Amino acid sequence: MTPRSPSVNEELRRRSRERILEATVELVGVHGYEATTLGGIARQAGVARGLVSYYFAGKRQLLQSAVHRLMHLTLAEALERPPRTEDGRERMARAIDAILGLAVTRPTLMRTHMAGILQAEGFVRCEEQQRLAFLLRDTVERYGSEDVDRDYPLLRALLMGAVVGVLLPGAPMPMARLRAELFHRYGLAWDSGMPPDGGPPDGML
């Protein structure tokens, strides 16, 4: 048997890692964090249990990487969907809608992710997080920021706060209200991005 080339091995590793991340999103989104095990993720991904631990130090790191990948892919799809645009305001609107949309469509997953970030181990920096950060920084730059290093962390914090607001147990805020506040903060038209049905909240344009 001819040995596999380094490039083939690298591609196989990449695919295995992606299957692990996809399985994590699927299982945690359905069953929650506590009920999801690394063994279950391995079975869902079709890989050996040891491979999960080889790539990820633990379940919390794996979850953050998986959610950051989902956020990155969702944001990239929103920014590039037809008709593609270079308009900075439209791209900012699409970015806000993409991240808020995940809080609505993937509440269990996003609630678990936010809870993990707020715990002692905090924010895990990984390849997926860096890809997400690149897209958000690029969005801020195209929007016209004169100080991206200042404005990118602010956008990230505002988006995180809005996601928490949508998901807050017992006292959630309507997504449309939070969207309106963010759009007002960045001077965006309500009908840009992907506006929800029903129009803006009363008293907000």
Side-chain angles (χ1 to χ4, degrees):
M1 180 181 296
T2 304
R4 289 196 296 257
S5 67
S7 61
V8 170
N9 285 331
E10 179 61 28
E11 177 64 14
L12 291 173
R13 286 192 291 269
R14 184 189 66 79
R15 291 181 182 179
S16 294
R17 194 173 186 276
E18 288 186 353
R19 289 201 304 273
I20 292 168
L21 294 169
E22 290 167 359
T24 302
V25 164
E26 182 175 345
L27 293 180
V28 173
V30 173
H31 304 294
Y33 181 76
E34 296 300 333
T36 299
T37 65
L38 294 179
I41 291 170
R43 287 191 296 274
Q44 181 75 11
V47 302
R49 166 65 178 80
L51 197 59
V52 177
S53 296
Y54 175 78
Y55 286 127
F56 302 98
K59 190 166 68 167
R60 184 64 66 185
Q61 182 197 58
L62 171 53
L63 175 62
Q64 284 202 34
S65 294
V67 176
H68 283 142
R69 178 178 181 270
L70 174 65
M71 294 171 72
H72 164 254
L73 294 176
T74 301
L75 178 57
E77 181 181 3
L79 292 174
E80 298 302 318
R81 77 169 186 270
R84 192 181 186 283
T85 180
E86 298 296 330
D87 181 78
R89 291 181 178 275
E90 172 62 21
R91 292 178 72 86
M92 177 65 79
R94 292 185 183 190
I96 292 171
D97 283 341
I99 302 303
L100 278 182
L102 285 174
V104 175
T105 60
R106 306 263 192 158
T108 300
L109 182 70
M110 294 302 290
R111 187 178 292 114
T112 305
H113 174 63
M114 296 305 297
I117 289 177
L118 295 173
Q119 290 183 359
E121 56 265 37
F123 199 72
V124 174
R125 299 189 182 277
C126 60
E127 294 177 18
E128 285 71 26
Q129 183 271 328
Q130 291 171 1
R131 293 187 182 102
L132 174 62
F134 175 83
L135 282 184
L136 285 176
R137 285 181 64 90
D138 181 69
T139 298
V140 170
E141 186 172 4
R142 293 179 189 233
Y143 172 74
S145 169
E146 297 180 356
D147 189 346
V148 176
D149 289 336
R150 177 199 64 197
D151 294 336
Y152 157 65
L154 178 59
L155 173 63
R156 184 181 64 194
L158 290 171
L159 289 173
M160 290 175 66
V163 168
V164 170
V166 172
L167 299 173
L168 190 63
M173 288 193 65
M175 190 274 278
R177 171 66 61 174
L178 291 164
R179 181 185 192 268
E181 294 288 349
L182 285 171
F183 272 42
H184 177 73
R185 166 70 175 75
Y186 288 101
L188 307 175
W190 176 263
D191 60 357
S192 59
M194 294 187 65
D197 295 334
D202 292 342
M204 304 193 76
L205 298 177

